[in-house]
Amino acid sequence: MAPLKSLEQLHPIIDTTFQSFCASHGIFTVEDFLIHDLYVLAAFAEHQPESEKLKQGITQILSVINAERQPWMNGLELLEDARENKHVLSTGFEGVDTLLGGGLREGLLTEIVGPSSSGKTQVCLRAASNVATNYNAKVFYLDTGNSFSPQRISGFVNWKSGPSIARTGQNMLQQVMSSISCHSVYDIFTFFDVLHQLEFNLRSQTCKGDRRVQLLIVDSISSLITPILGGSSSQGHALMVSAGSLLKKIAHEYNIAVLVINHTVGGDRGTSKPALGESWKSVPHVRLQLSRDPGSSVCQASILKHSSMASGMTARFVIYE
């Protein structure tokens, strides 16, 4: 995010005095500000000679952050936006697409939840291959656990093209692989850096008229956020909220379908529930839960949250290891 110094021209209250005060608390950017305990910061400001001015600076930065969020839209505007701008992208799995109302919708954040080996990464890889193949689009894939598999992508493309047209299949594979940009991300701060770079590239892409990014995949978001949660500090929670807001902002502003993976943890009475807790629960627009019996190639998907489909609906689909 933007360094505090870059805000001074538009917001004079964020002057060198305010910047020095923030720097003394390790705050140099808007992102640093987001993860700091604001009550503690305000308490320190109270004891400074220019306390009122410092508190005004804190309020100003909060206003800047709020201005970055998705704008309010009335019902008619939302309907028109959905009709004109939000396309649906097939995942390549008929059962999953049925539950999603046709597929992954641009402008929305879809979350797939499930235990290990339930088919989550398979859906990500198949969706990446399908979108790159059928929509002539770019895919941005953030891999947090070395789960991205070019071999599996190749398998999907070869299966689609068939053995009788090997040369065409090879050309298609090259096109698909060049359309999928995979980045290894192992911590939340690198995650923010990569997304901010993506935002910069997306702004440039709208001017060039090139093939656009239509799908952003994060496999998995829980691997990045779980390590920073817990304890008495509120920084982990603030980073989680910021990550969710940034993903939804990118989805909305650039008409991108965002697909994130989340794991499950133990819940009440031995049942499992999505990781990351109640605060994250409100972030995804759509939530699907996957399950699979050990040794089976058949997965079951069920709706946990969807704006136009009933919760609890289920569908089955087959994956091939």
Side-chain angles (χ1 to χ4, degrees), residues 17 34 40 44 53 55 78 82 89 159 233 268 282 302 309:
T17 300
L34 272 172
V40 172
F44 275 109
K53 190 175 180 182
K55 287 190 288 185
L78 287 169
L89 310 175
W159 173 79
S233 173
D268 297 332
S282 62
S302 59
M309 307 290 283

Side-chain angles (χ1 to χ4, degrees), residues 9-78:
Q9 186 172 357
L10 286 176
H11 310 286
I13 194 68
I14 307 175
D15 57 13
T16 54
T17 300
F18 181 78
Q19 292 169 37
S20 297
F21 169 72
C22 289
S24 69
H25 294 274
I27 300 172
F28 300 93
T29 68
V30 176
E31 185 174 292
D32 294 336
F33 190 87
L34 272 172
I35 66 176
H36 202 85
D37 191 323
L38 298 186
Y39 293 103
V40 172
L41 192 65
F44 275 109
E46 282 283 358
H47 297 91
Q48 301 300 312
E50 299 185 47
S51 61
E52 287 303 316
K53 190 175 180 182
L54 292 176
K55 287 190 288 185
Q56 289 174 20
I58 293 173
T59 302
Q60 181 62 70
I61 293 185
L62 287 173
S63 298
V64 171
I65 293 170
N66 287 331
E68 293 266 326
R69 294 179 178 174
Q70 181 174 324
W72 287 97
M73 301 176 73
N74 63 38
L76 180 59
E77 289 171 332
L78 287 169

Side-chain angles (χ1 to χ4, degrees), residues 49 51 62 67 82 91 114 136 159 193 205 234 242 264 281 317 319:
S51 61
L62 287 173
T91 64
N136 193 30
W159 173 79
D193 288 342
Q205 134 184 309
S234 61
S242 181
T264 54
K281 183 178 179 180
F317 63 98
I319 61 173

Side-chain angles (χ1 to χ4, degrees), residues 71-87:
W72 287 97
M73 301 176 73
N74 63 38
L76 180 59
E77 289 171 332
L78 287 169
L79 181 60
E80 291 177 348
D81 185 55
R83 285 175 174 171
E84 296 177 7
N85 301 317
K86 311 303 184 194
H87 301 105

Side-chain angles (χ1 to χ4, degrees), residues 87-90 106 127-140 160 171-181 205 209-215:
H87 301 105
V88 175
L89 310 175
S90 170
E106 292 180 342
S129 172
N130 208 56
V131 169
T133 303
N134 294 337
Y135 300 91
N136 193 30
K138 293 181 179 180
V139 178
F140 203 78
K160 185 177 182 64
N171 292 337
M172 182 183 294
L173 177 61
Q174 292 178 356
Q175 178 182 335
V176 169
M177 294 306 296
S178 66
S179 299
I180 301 173
S181 177
Q205 134 184 309
D210 194 8
R211 282 185 307 153
R212 70 184 186 91
V213 176
Q214 288 184 254
L215 177 61

